C-alpha cells in the first residue's frame, strides 16, 4: 500500500512553528481515519532515524499518523539539525504538553487535513518515545480526544532524572550544559526547565498522570536500554489504572531498539520490527 505524506506546521501558543509530517494511506476515499500522534524524545525530532519509516508502516494499517516536532525542540527548518539551541534551552514539559493540545485543536478545527481523506479528531491515539513517552502519558490524561496510548522506552518520572550536578548548575548559574553524544554539540538547558517540572509535578509527571488513565495502554521497553531502565516501564504499568493495559519487554536491544540516525537499512532490525508490529496490533485492536 502506498502512503502519502504532507509536511506543514501549525503555530504554537507563542507563535512558533510546530512542524509535522502527516502520513496516510492512499486510496482510502472519504474514510474517517483515526489519527496517531507521534512524539519524539529529548534531543530528538520527528525525522530521527527509523521513526519516519515506522510512521509509514503504521499508516499502512489504516491510520493517519502525525509526527510532530515540539516547538522548542531546537530543530528548525532543516528538520534534522539542532540549529535553534536558544529554544532547546527552554523546552519545558509544560510547553510540550501544550503543543500536543495545539495539534489536537488544529485537527478538530480541520486546520490539519490530508487530500481526499477525512480525519477523525475524536479518535486519536498517541505514541511517544523516551521523554515523548513521558509526555504521551500526561497528554492521555489531559486531553479526552486521546483514546489509546503506546509508549516506547518511556521515562516514568522526569524529576528523578535531574542530577546533583545539574541542580547545582541551575542554582549557581541558571543553566546547565549537556553533550549530544551523536553530534558532539554542547546543548544548554536553562533553570526554567527544572523549575517547571518541579513546580508542576502533579500535572506533568507521567508516573502521577498514568494513575488517571482508563484508556488502553501499552508500554514497550528494551531490557537492554542503556539510557532509561526498563523498570520505568514496569513502574508505569504498575501505576496505570486502565483495565486494558500491557507491558512488552524486548530483549537484547537499546534505547532505540537497535536503530540509529541516519537509518539507511532496507529493513528494520529485528527488535524494532517487533516493536512496530506490536504497536500496530495495539492500535488496530483499540483505536477505532
Amino acid at each position: 500500500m502506498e502512503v502519502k505524506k504532507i509536511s506543514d506546521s501549525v503555530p504554537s501558543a507563542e507563535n512558533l512553528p510546530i512542524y509535522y509530517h502527516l502520513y496516510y494511506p492512499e486510496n482510502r476515499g472519504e474514510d474517517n481515519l483515526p489519527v496517531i500522534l507521534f512524539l519524539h524524545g529529548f534531543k530528538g525530532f520527528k525525522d530521527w532515524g527509523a521513526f519516519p519509516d515506522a510512521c509509514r508502516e503504521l499508516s499502512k494499517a489504516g491510520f493517519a499518523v502525525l509526527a510532530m516536532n515540539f516547538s522548542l525542540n531546537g530543530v528548525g527548518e532543516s528538520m534534522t539539525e539542532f540549529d535553534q539551541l536558544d529554544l532547546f534551552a527552554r523546552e519545558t514539559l509544560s510547553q510540550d504538553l501544550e503543543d500536543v493540545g495545539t495539534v489536537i485543536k488544529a485537527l478538530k478545527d480541520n486546520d490539519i487535513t490530508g487530500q481526499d481523506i477525512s480525519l477523525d479528531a475524536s479518535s486519536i491515539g498517541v505514541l511517544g518515545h523516551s521523554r515523548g513517552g513521558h509526555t504521551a502519558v500526561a497528554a492521555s490524561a489531559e486531553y479526552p480526544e486521546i483514546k489509546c496510548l503506546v509508549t516506547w522506552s518511556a521515562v516514568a518520572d522526569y524529576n528523578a532524572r535531574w542530577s546533583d550536578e545539574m541542580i547545582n548548575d541551575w542554582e549557581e548559574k541558571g543553566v546547565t550544559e549537556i553533550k549530544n553524544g551523536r553530534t558532539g554539540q554542547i546543548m544548554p538547558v536553562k533553570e526554567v526547565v527544572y523549575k517547571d517540572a518541579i513546580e508542576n509535578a502533579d500535572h506533568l509527571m507521567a508516573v502521577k498522570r498514568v494513575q488517571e488513565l482508563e484508556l488502553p495502554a501499552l508500554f514497550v521497553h528494551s531490557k537492554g536500554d542503556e539510557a532509561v531502565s526498563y523498570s520505568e516501564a514496569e513502574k508505569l504499568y504498575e501505576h496505570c489504572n486502565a483495565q486494558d493495559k500491557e507491558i512488552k519487554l524486548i530483549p537484547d536491544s537499546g534505547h532505540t531498539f537497535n536503530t540509529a540516525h541516519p537509518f539507511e537499512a532496507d529493513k528494520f532490525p529485528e527488535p524494532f520490527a517487533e516493536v512496530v508490529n506490536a504497536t500496530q496490533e495495539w492500535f488496530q485492536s483499540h483505536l477505532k
Side-chain angles (χ1 to χ4, degrees), residues 16-247:
L16 291 169
I18 301 172
Y19 295 109
Y20 68 83
H21 294 318
L22 178 67
Y23 302 87
Y24 59 94
E26 267 193 315
N27 302 320
R28 288 299 298 244
E30 294 298 322
D31 282 3
N32 212 23
L33 291 179
V35 181
I36 298 170
L37 303 181
F38 176 77
L39 312 182
H40 66 76
F42 185 58
K43 295 183 293 182
F45 44 93
K46 60 181 171 52
D47 294 289
W48 186 94
F51 292 161
D53 297 289
C55 290
R56 288 188 186 93
E57 286 302 309
L58 293 174
S59 179
K60 290 178 183 178
F63 301 103
V65 182
L66 191 150
M68 57 182 281
N69 275 355
F70 291 113
S71 61
L72 299 178
N73 78 329
V75 175
E77 293 182 359
S78 72
M79 299 300 160
T80 58
E81 304 300 325
F82 287 97
D83 48 15
Q84 297 179 333
L85 292 181
D86 56 325
L87 299 184
F88 175 88
R90 59 183 183 88
E91 184 188 0
T92 62
L93 290 171
S94 285
Q95 186 59 56
D96 287 355
L97 183 60
E98 186 171 350
D99 283 352
V100 176
T102 295
V103 168
I104 290 174
K105 184 178 186 303
L107 286 165
K108 294 175 69 175
D109 292 345
N110 292 317
D111 292 332
I112 297 175
T113 186
Q115 298 170 352
D116 304 322
I117 60 163
S118 60
L119 305 179
D120 187 355
S122 67
S123 183
I124 294 176
V126 62
L127 163 63
H129 174 254
S130 196
R131 171 168 155 163
H134 189 280
T135 295
V137 171
S140 296
E142 186 77 9
Y143 302 114
E145 295 85 359
I146 295 177
K147 309 299 186 187
C148 187
L149 166 69
V150 179
T151 67
W152 294 350
S153 312
V155 177
D157 183 353
Y158 226 87
N159 280 336
R161 297 185 69 79
W162 313 123
S163 68
D164 291 341
E165 182 180 1
M166 296 171 78
I167 294 170
N168 288 337
D169 282 347
W170 284 319
E171 290 175 348
E172 295 175 6
K173 301 181 294 185
V175 64
T176 191
E177 294 180 334
I178 58 170
K179 185 175 182 178
N180 186 322
R182 179 178 64 85
T183 67
Q185 285 174 287
I186 303 301
M187 307 177 76
V189 179
K190 291 184 177 179
E191 186 183 25
V192 64
V193 176
Y194 172 64
K195 281 189 171 181
D196 172 70
I198 295 295
E199 293 172 2
N200 301 296
D202 288 344
H203 187 63
L204 296 174
M205 292 305 109
V207 73
K208 295 180 180 289
R209 298 303 307 262
V210 77
Q211 299 175 48
E212 303 173 37
L213 298 188
E214 298 180 355
L215 49 72
L218 170 65
F219 307 98
V220 183
H221 219 109
S222 167
K223 281 193 168 184
D225 193 332
E226 72 289 348
V228 179
S229 169
Y230 70 89
S231 64
E232 304 275 297
E234 292 178 327
K235 188 178 297 184
L236 289 171
Y237 175 78
E238 290 165 5
H239 284 79
C240 181
N241 280 324
Q243 289 188 340
D244 200 347
K245 64 178 181 177
E246 188 174 318
I247 184 170

